[in-house]
């Protein structure tokens, strides 16, 4: 072996790992242009009915019993559908069921979950990361990237490939009944940056995203699960605001986009036509004008926003005509496939249009590794999903989101030796926030008032407060998915206004918009705002109030004239 040849061999061996890494890091969008023998081979083996069926994803659960699971298995085996979307259940059961479903499918299934805040949104015994509104307050987007990475690891552990997230809606309507805390906020630049960080964390680890809800569901007052919302805005407004995050994130390589069920006259003036079924919106604007090459997912096709005006499978056909690649949760996939074939025979649809989506879906399956499908390990599932680094990250996210409004003067002036009243509102006696504060404030007494406390109970607590030098108030919303209004009675809301005048430290564990429904709270010198009532948020706020943690969050939405986007004392 010559010296020159040895040198060349060393160079090749040195760069081989880097070349291998580069190959695995090819983006999904880039992979669409590359020749793919596996995609071609699988495509050729599909008959016409099976090609259409690849465009459909059906619902799956692990909390509905064996009969339900068997019925979905029948659909997979008989119809050769393209994928499943898992909803509620348990991670161990899902791993077992995934192995079974994949084993009976002619083509490996693309498996998705709507997991905006991680697996805990759907599965028991798993981690729930903060809501996107909470993340919107964080100033270090690297933390959000890391969350995306951890969620991707969880998805891969359960054999899932597509997260129907992040939510790219700009929530500029506080009364929005369906987005709200699911949005990163009302500033298009902050929303775009944070969606991009979450998206990159997922995609860098070979999990696909589905940015939603195109062209933007943030300024609606109707929930599309129950009716068809209308966006009455001009094209100029939609271009500059609602569609801004989608346009920018498509430039960054978004692998998937989900289209919403909304009627938008400025983009398509067809009466009662949802955006999901609009070719001008899906094909002309999203695919052609914005240049999106990835997978286009419909929102769930059983929602009233789409089937109200297009029942009996017509929505499925129109969704494909419009340009959607994947039809999510058709009411009846067997009927849908038959109707699509009929639409092809009557020249409403073409095989060219079907094949375009099929090849894109098969490329997605290749990109996520389904060309080399391996059975999931079904032992130690829960422990491997609750990794110490994930748990630690969850707390770091909560710590970074804590936002101090107005001033931190009351926190700086807190005297651990003075007699302190800790008032818990809306929650029970077993309370992490209170328990942590009590360990730091030996000379403290705990008062508990339920959300519907009587005027007499409130008066008794108010009378007792005369004996205390310091007051800390925890305002807690115990609902898992907190709306924009607090469900306290009027007496409690009036008492909050009184407490605000007593130099109290007000600590809010609720949707930030609830502050607008608490007139008088702005009189408080210090308001510590969390965006949800999680254990992690309670721990973070207790440490902020006791001076052990510096707050650095900033308000991601404007609440009212007193509290606007970007407010927050950085300690």
């Amino acid at each position: 072996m010559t010296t020159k040849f040895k040198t060349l061999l060393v160079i090749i061996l040195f760069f081989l790992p880097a070349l291998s890494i580069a190959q695995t890091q090819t983006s999904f969008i880039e992979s669409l242009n590359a020749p793919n023998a596996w995609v071609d081979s699988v495509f050729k083996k599909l008959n016409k009915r099976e090609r259409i069926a690849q465009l459909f994803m059906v619902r799956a659960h692990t909390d509905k019993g064996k009969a339900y699971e068997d019925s979905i298995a029948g659909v997979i085996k008989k119809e050769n559908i393209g994928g499943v979307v898992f909803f509620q259940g348990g991670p161990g059961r899902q791993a077992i069921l995934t192995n079974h479903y994949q084993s009976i499918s002619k083509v490996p299934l693309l498996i998705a979950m709507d997991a905006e805040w991680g697996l805990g949104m759907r599965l028991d015994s798993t981690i729930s990361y903060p809501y996107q509104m909470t993340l919107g307050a964080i100033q270090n987007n690297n933390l959000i990237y890391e969350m995306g990475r951890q969620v991707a690891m969880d998805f891969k552990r359960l054999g899932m490939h597509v997260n129907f997230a992040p939510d790219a809606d700009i929530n500029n309507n506080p009364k929005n009944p369906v987005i709200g805390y699911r949005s990163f906020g009302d500033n298009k630049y902050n929303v775009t940056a944070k969606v991009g960080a979450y998206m990159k964390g997922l995609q860098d680890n070979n999990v696909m995203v589905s940015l939603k809800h195109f062209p933007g569901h943030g300024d609606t007052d109707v929930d599309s699960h129950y009716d068809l919302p209308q966006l009455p805005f001009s094209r100029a407004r939609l271009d500059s605001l609602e569609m801004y995050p989608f346009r920018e994130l498509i430039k960054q390589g978004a692998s998937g986009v989900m289209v919403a069920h909304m009627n938008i006259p400025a983009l398509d003036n067809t009466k009662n036509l949802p955006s999901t079924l609009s070719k001008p919106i899906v094909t002309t604007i999203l695919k052609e004008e914005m240049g999106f090459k990835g997978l286009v997912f419909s929102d769930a096709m059983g929602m009233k926003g789409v089937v109200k005006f297009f029942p009996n499978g017509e929505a499925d056909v129109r969704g494909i005509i419009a340009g959607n690649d994947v039809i999510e949760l058709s009411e009846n996939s067997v009927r849908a496939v038959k109707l699509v074939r009929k639409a092809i025979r009557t020249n409403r649809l073409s095989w060219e249009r079907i094949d375009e989506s099929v090849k894109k879906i098969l490329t997605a399956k290749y990109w996520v590794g389904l060309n080399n499908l391996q059975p999931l390990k079904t032992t130690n599932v829960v422990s491997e999903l609750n990794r110490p680094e994930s748990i630690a990250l969850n707390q770091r996210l909560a710590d970074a989101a804590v936002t101090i409004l107005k001033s931190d003067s009351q926190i700086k002036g807190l005297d651990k030796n003075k007699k302190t009243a800790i008032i818990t509102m809306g929650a029970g006696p077993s309370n992490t926030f209170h328990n942590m504060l009590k360990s730091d404030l030996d000379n403290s007494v705990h008062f508990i008032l339920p959300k519907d406390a009587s005027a007499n109970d409130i008066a008794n607590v108010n009378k007792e407060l005369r004996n205390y030098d310091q007051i800390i108030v925890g305002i807690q919303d115990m609902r898992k998915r907190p709306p924009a209004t607090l469900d306290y009675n009027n007496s409690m809301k009036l008492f909050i206004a009184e407490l605000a005048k007593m130099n109290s430290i007000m600590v809010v564990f609720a949707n930030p918009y609830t502050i607008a429904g608490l007139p008088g709270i702005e009189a408080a010198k210090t308001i510590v705002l969390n965006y949800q009532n999680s254990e992690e948020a309670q721990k973070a706020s207790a440490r902020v109030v006791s001076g052990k943690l510096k707050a650095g969050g900033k308000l991601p939405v404007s609440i009212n004239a007193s509290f606007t986007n970007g407010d927050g004392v950085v300690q």
Side-chain angles (χ1 to χ4, degrees):
M1 187 180 291
T2 66
T3 303
K4 182 182 279 190
F5 183 79
K6 285 181 180 178
T7 303
L8 181 62
L9 184 61
V10 168
I11 291 171
I12 291 170
L13 291 173
F14 179 81
F15 283 106
L16 197 58
L19 289 169
S20 176
I21 291 169
Q23 286 172 351
T24 60
Q25 290 181 339
T26 299
S27 74
F28 170 63
I29 301 300
E30 292 169 335
S31 72
L32 288 167
N33 297 319
N36 193 309
W38 183 84
V39 170
D40 293 340
S41 173
V42 174
F43 179 81
K44 288 174 183 176
K45 292 175 184 176
L46 297 174
N47 62 36
K48 289 183 175 181
R49 183 182 58 78
E50 290 169 341
R51 276 150 63 187
I52 297 169
Q54 282 296 300
L55 276 61
F56 291 86
M57 299 183 88
V58 301
R59 176 185 289 266
H61 284 254
T62 58
D63 66 345
K64 291 184 177 293
K66 191 172 186 305
Y68 180 88
E69 293 170 4
D70 289 347
S71 70
I72 301 304
V75 171
I76 292 167
K77 196 166 185 178
K78 293 174 186 175
E79 299 177 36
N80 292 312
I81 47 131
V84 299
V85 185
F86 271 106
F87 286 83
Q88 279 72 21
R93 300 192 300 277
Q94 184 169 315
I96 293 168
L97 196 58
T98 295
N99 281 343
H100 175 55
Y101 285 169
Q102 291 286 24
S103 72
I104 61 174
S105 182
K106 178 177 178 178
V107 179
L109 297 162
L110 195 65
I111 299 179
M113 179 177 279
D114 191 352
E116 294 165 25
W117 50 91
L119 299 186
M121 182 171 172
R122 301 295 178 188
L123 302 180
D124 62 40
S125 311
T126 57
I127 293 175
S128 287
Y129 289 101
Y131 299 139
Q132 288 191 186
M133 184 70 75
T134 308
L135 300 174
I138 294 174
Q139 300 305 294
N140 180 3
N141 290 344
N142 291 331
L143 288 173
I144 299 168
Y145 173 88
E146 180 59 24
M147 188 192 93
R149 192 176 76 86
Q150 293 294 332
V151 172
M153 290 172 67
D154 292 342
F155 264 58
K156 291 164 84 170
R157 178 64 184 87
L158 287 183
M160 296 192 293
H161 319 107
V162 184
N163 191 357
F164 289 153
D167 192 312
D169 297 313
I170 300 167
N171 197 77
N172 45 8
N173 183 348
K175 295 180 180 179
N176 193 317
V178 67
I179 305 300
Y181 63 89
R182 299 167 61 195
S183 165
F184 283 110
D186 62 16
N187 179 284
K188 67 181 183 181
Y189 302 111
N190 188 46
V191 169
T192 302
K194 287 178 165 55
V195 173
Y198 189 0
M199 176 183 84
K200 197 168 188 300
L202 290 165
Q203 291 185 167
D204 283 358
N205 293 277
N206 278 89
V207 170
M208 298 185 69
V209 302
S210 181
L211 307 183
K212 58 190 186 185
H213 304 80
F214 184 82
H217 212 311
D219 196 355
T220 60
D221 54 9
V222 171
D223 185 342
S224 52
H225 289 86
Y226 306 110
D227 208 339
L228 180 64
Q230 187 169 91
L231 260 65
F233 311 117
S234 69
R235 174 68 191 262
R237 147 72 190 258
L238 293 165
D239 274 337
S240 65
L241 188 61
E242 275 80 7
M243 290 194 278
Y244 177 86
F246 296 96
R247 183 181 296 108
E248 295 303 310
L249 294 160
I250 286 168
K251 293 176 187 175
Q252 295 175 29
S255 53
V257 168
M258 179 180 287
V259 183
H261 306 311
M262 299 183 295
N263 183 249
I264 314 170
L267 304 184
D268 187 333
N269 61 10
T270 308
K271 186 178 179 181
N272 297 326
L273 185 71
S275 40
T276 344
L277 312 187
S278 166
K279 191 170 183 178
I281 292 173
V282 179
T283 295
T284 305
I285 296 176
L286 178 60
K287 290 184 169 183
E288 295 174 0
E289 293 180 13
M290 291 190 175
F292 180 61
K293 306 300 182 187
L295 279 181
V296 181
F297 296 86
S298 75
D299 207 342
M301 294 298 272
M303 294 165 63
K304 296 300 181 186
V306 68
V307 298
K308 179 179 180 180
F309 297 105
F310 298 92
N312 304 319
E314 176 64 12
D316 298 319
V317 176
R318 289 199 180 213
I320 296 171
I321 293 171
N324 293 278
D325 298 303
V326 178
I327 301 299
E328 183 202 352
L329 310 185
S330 164
E331 289 186 309
N332 186 324
S333 52
V334 172
R335 176 184 65 189
V337 171
K338 290 179 180 177
L339 289 173
V340 170
R341 295 192 75 175
K342 181 180 177 182
I344 294 170
R345 288 195 301 270
T346 56
N347 296 318
R348 295 178 69 199
L349 258 172
S350 68
W351 279 112
E352 183 182 15
R353 167 71 196 87
I354 299 296
D355 293 348
E356 174 194 341
S357 289
V358 175
K359 289 179 180 178
K360 200 186 294 185
I361 290 163
L362 292 177
T363 303
K365 292 185 177 187
Y366 180 87
W367 188 77
V368 298
L370 283 171
N371 59 307
N372 186 28
L373 177 64
Q374 301 295 323
L376 298 172
K377 184 166 72 78
T378 56
T379 56
N380 303 319
V381 177
V382 171
S383 62
E384 290 175 19
L385 290 172
N386 287 270
R387 300 177 297 279
E389 61 269 29
S390 300
I391 294 168
L393 174 64
N394 205 12
Q395 188 60 58
R396 287 174 67 200
L397 290 163
D399 292 350
V402 180
T403 304
I404 296 177
L405 298 177
K406 298 194 73 172
S407 159
D408 61 352
S409 60
Q410 296 298 96
I411 292 172
K412 288 180 176 177
L414 189 67
D415 189 333
K416 295 182 179 181
N417 297 313
K418 286 184 177 180
K419 198 171 182 183
T420 306
I422 304 173
I423 306 173
T424 295
M425 291 185 161
S430 180
N431 188 280
T432 298
F433 176 66
H434 157 255
N435 291 337
M436 287 182 66
L437 282 181
K438 188 173 177 62
S439 66
D440 285 322
L441 303 168
D442 293 333
N443 197 13
S444 64
V445 172
H446 189 201
F447 298 90
I448 302 169
L449 286 171
K451 63 183 182 181
D452 56 354
S454 68
N456 189 52
D457 288 338
I458 292 169
N460 289 335
V461 170
N462 198 5
K463 185 178 179 181
E464 286 290 325
L465 294 180
R466 299 171 191 170
N467 302 316
Y468 292 86
D469 304 309
Q470 302 173 140
I471 302 170
I472 301 170
V473 183
I475 301 168
Q476 302 195 27
D477 188 342
M478 299 301 291
R479 294 170 292 183
K480 287 184 178 180
R481 300 187 179 188
T485 54
L486 205 57
D487 59 343
Y488 286 16
N489 65 23
N490 287 332
S491 296
M492 284 285 282
K493 291 178 180 179
L494 289 170
F495 188 40
I496 289 170
E498 287 185 52
L499 290 168
K501 299 173 185 176
M502 298 180 187
N503 291 330
S504 304
I505 299 175
M506 312 295 287
V507 187
V508 180
F509 299 96
N511 186 316
Y513 291 120
T514 60
I515 288 178
L518 299 173
I521 195 173
E522 66 277 0
K525 291 180 179 176
T526 298
I527 301 171
V528 180
L529 176 61
N530 299 271
Y531 300 83
Q532 59 189 102
N533 192 18
S534 65
E535 284 290 304
E536 292 79 17
Q538 291 189 39
K539 289 176 183 177
S541 275
R543 290 168 60 215
V544 166
V545 170
S546 61
K548 296 178 180 178
L549 174 69
K550 300 296 184 184
K554 292 196 173 184
L555 195 59
V557 292
S558 290
I559 297 170
N560 53 26
S562 300
F563 306 109
T564 59
N565 191 301
D567 286 354
V569 176
V570 178
Q571 292 182 296

